[in-house]
Amino acid sequence: MSFGAPEKKLGIRGSPTREVYFDSVRIPASRRIGPEGTGFTTALHTLDHTRTTIAAQAVGIAQGALDYALGYMQERRQFGQPIADFQGLQFMVADMGMRVEAARQLTYAAAGRSERNDRDLAFFGAAAKCFASDVAMQVTTDAVQLLGGYGYTRDYPVERMMRDAKITQIYEGTNQIQRIVVARQLLDGVQSQL
């Protein structure tokens, strides 16, 4: 077993990523997960569970960006007052807060279903991952906007949060794939039996 060169990534730079190469590696049958020939099905079922963890990651990133933006708005002054007093910015943070909380609640619903291995886990896991990661991308982008020029610099953490949020829309299946999973679950009637 050997490893490729480290990837130079846009975000989540604290998590090293490399290719893993297997050359003439043998795995004993006692280490196999599930019956022979069921690997693809097992992998897909595993994704139903792990998508919830990506949703949780996305909620955490979004909450961090919201928290930072709120603190910044209360400290930053323009025209003799904190920018938190400006109604237009209040509307932005209100939308950010509502989205983060909606994503959190959907993620909690998916986590409960994952723990119980409920029949509707595929719907909730995909929905939570898709919704929460879209929220993370939107909220972090809004946080950058709220900080103005400072938000675009590495001196403030929201630019990193925005870069980190992007991967949550991609791994464990892109959000386009999540929408296919959700639609198929709805068409199969899984959601109507909740």
Side-chain angles (χ1 to χ4, degrees):
M1 187 171 87
S2 60
F3 301 97
E7 298 289 339
K8 297 175 182 150
K9 301 179 298 189
L10 171 73
I12 60 167
R13 293 181 180 174
S15 171
T17 303
R18 298 170 176 246
E19 287 188 77
V20 178
Y21 302 108
F22 297 99
D23 183 30
S24 300
V25 173
R26 294 186 47 83
I27 307 294
S30 63
R31 301 310 246 174
R32 186 175 54 224
I33 299 172
E36 188 171 345
T38 63
F40 184 68
T41 303
T42 300
L44 288 180
H45 183 65
T46 300
L47 287 173
D48 291 340
H49 294 276
T50 58
R51 286 175 176 148
T52 303
T53 66
I54 303 308
Q57 177 187 14
V59 168
I61 292 169
Q63 184 68 60
L66 174 60
D67 291 347
Y68 195 88
L70 289 170
Y72 180 85
M73 288 176 62
Q74 292 166 348
E75 291 178 14
R76 177 79 167 136
R77 297 182 68 81
Q78 285 291 320
F79 310 107
Q81 62 189 22
I83 64 172
D85 290 348
F86 300 139
Q87 191 177 52
L89 299 184
Q90 290 174 359
F91 289 169
M92 277 182 80
V93 295
D95 287 342
M96 293 162 72
M98 288 184 288
R99 288 183 182 107
V100 171
E101 190 56 34
R104 182 185 342 274
Q105 294 305 317
L106 185 55
T107 300
Y108 286 162
R113 283 164 172 84
S114 176
E115 188 174 308
R116 294 184 303 269
N117 202 26
D118 286 352
R119 185 170 105 65
D120 56 359
L121 171 59
F123 172 85
F124 275 90
K129 187 269 188 199
C130 185
F131 186 77
S133 62
D134 282 350
V135 164
M137 199 67 235
Q138 186 171 20
V139 167
T140 57
T141 301
D142 286 349
V144 168
Q145 186 73 26
L146 279 168
L147 269 70
Y150 290 133
Y152 199 70
T153 69
R154 289 191 176 173
D155 295 333
Y156 293 81
V158 292
E159 67 83 26
R160 177 187 49 80
M161 293 173 183
M162 187 175 82
R163 288 185 290 105
D164 289 349
K166 186 61 193 169
I167 193 62
T168 65
Q169 292 180 308
I170 297 170
Y171 59 17
E172 303 299 304
T174 64
N175 282 1
Q176 291 80 4
I177 294 296
Q178 303 317 306
R179 286 176 169 87
I180 290 170
V181 172
V182 167
R184 287 180 180 167
Q185 291 291 300
L186 290 169
L187 291 167
D188 287 345
V190 171
Q191 226 283 340
S192 66
Q193 300 172 21
L194 303 178

